[in-house]
């Protein structure tokens, strides 16, 4: 099962490192990651590919022993909180897990850049993870090379950014 851990925004990777260190040698934690996405950024007048956090303030743990993981989080010297309600920790739904799996790979939880073009005011994706997922796109920022998505994640609708390079407009 996949669970969401809330962490301090900007501290996602250090929280992942601390959780993995605390769980070293334990079979309770199968995977712990902070999903990222690749995008372009201009640095000193040159476009460079950079990685940014996909869901700021959240990381994902994969476990079949959530209670053991929750106990292990108590030993982490950073803000970490498993999402849930008063009765239980709530795992991600099959659809939410499928979305993350469709856009990333197990050993590389980074959404790659997509490519496309605009034809007569209509966005056409030609390559990348957004191919055949154009319906998720709510807005495109050509200058920042980003697509803004609205997806159901963590039990609610959230806005997310992913990289999108528009190659041409006609």
């Amino acid at each position: 099962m996949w669970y969401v851990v809330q962490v301090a925004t900007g501290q996602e990777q250090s929280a992942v490192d601390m959780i993995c260190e605390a769980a070293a040698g334990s079979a309770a934690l199968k995977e712990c990651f902070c999903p990222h996405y690749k995008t372009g950024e201009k640095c000193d007048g040159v476009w460079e590919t950079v990685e940014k956090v996909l869901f700021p303030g959240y990381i994902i743990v994969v476990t079949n022993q959530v209670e053991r993981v929750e106990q292990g989080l108590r030993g982490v010297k950073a803000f970490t909180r498993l999402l849930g309600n008063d009765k239980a920790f709530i795992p991600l739904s099959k659809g939410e897990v499928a979305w993350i799996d469709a856009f990333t790979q197990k050993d590389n939880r980074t959404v790659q850049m997509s490519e496309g073009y605009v034809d007569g005011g209509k966005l056409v994706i030609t390559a990348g993870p957004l191919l055949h997922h154009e319906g998720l796109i709510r807005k495109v920022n050509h200058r920042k090379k980003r697509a803004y998505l609205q997806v159901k994640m963590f039990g609610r609708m959230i806005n997310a950014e992913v990289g999108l390079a528009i190659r041409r407009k006609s």
Side-chain angles (χ1 to χ4, degrees):
M1 302 294 282
W2 293 32
Y3 295 88
V4 178
V5 178
Q6 185 178 14
V7 299
T9 302
Q11 302 298 313
E12 295 88 359
Q13 193 57 50
S14 65
V16 166
D17 295 341
M18 285 187 261
I19 291 168
C20 289
E21 185 179 318
S26 170
L29 188 65
K30 296 182 191 276
E31 188 178 0
C32 180
F33 62 93
C34 172
H36 288 81
Y37 68 94
K38 286 190 178 181
T39 188
E41 259 188 22
K42 214 169 198 179
C43 184
D44 296 327
V46 178
W47 280 101
E48 296 180 6
T49 301
V50 296
E51 283 191 18
K52 297 207 174 255
V53 175
L54 184 60
F55 305 119
Y58 299 98
I59 62 174
I60 297 171
V61 295
V62 181
T63 182
N64 289 330
Q65 301 173 17
V66 69
E67 290 80 15
R68 286 190 61 197
V69 170
E70 196 271 332
Q71 288 172 350
L73 290 178
R74 293 179 192 161
V76 173
K77 295 182 179 185
F79 170 70
T80 57
R81 182 177 65 136
L82 267 164
L83 295 187
N85 58 28
D86 293 338
K87 297 176 183 167
F89 300 112
I90 302 171
L92 290 177
S93 70
K94 289 180 182 178
E96 293 166 337
V97 171
W99 189 91
I100 293 171
D101 265 346
F103 281 70
T104 66
Q105 291 79 41
K106 181 172 178 165
D107 293 329
N108 181 15
R109 295 294 185 181
T110 301
V111 180
Q112 301 299 314
M113 283 278 285
S114 292
E115 295 182 5
Y117 63 91
V118 177
D119 183 22
K122 183 180 180 205
L123 177 64
V124 178
I125 304 296
T126 57
L130 289 176
L131 186 64
H132 307 299
H133 296 283
E134 291 89 344
L136 296 174
I137 300 171
R138 297 291 173 242
K139 182 179 164 186
V140 173
N141 186 326
H142 304 283
R143 291 184 183 154
K144 289 190 174 187
K145 297 184 185 246
R146 297 206 183 113
Y148 300 90
L149 314 178
Q150 190 171 41
V151 294
K152 185 174 187 299
M153 191 64 58
F154 315 143
R156 58 190 163 95
M157 293 303 286
I158 66 164
N159 296 316
E161 299 176 11
V162 293
L164 174 62
I166 301 298
R167 299 296 178 202
R168 70 177 197 270
K169 291 182 183 180
S170 57

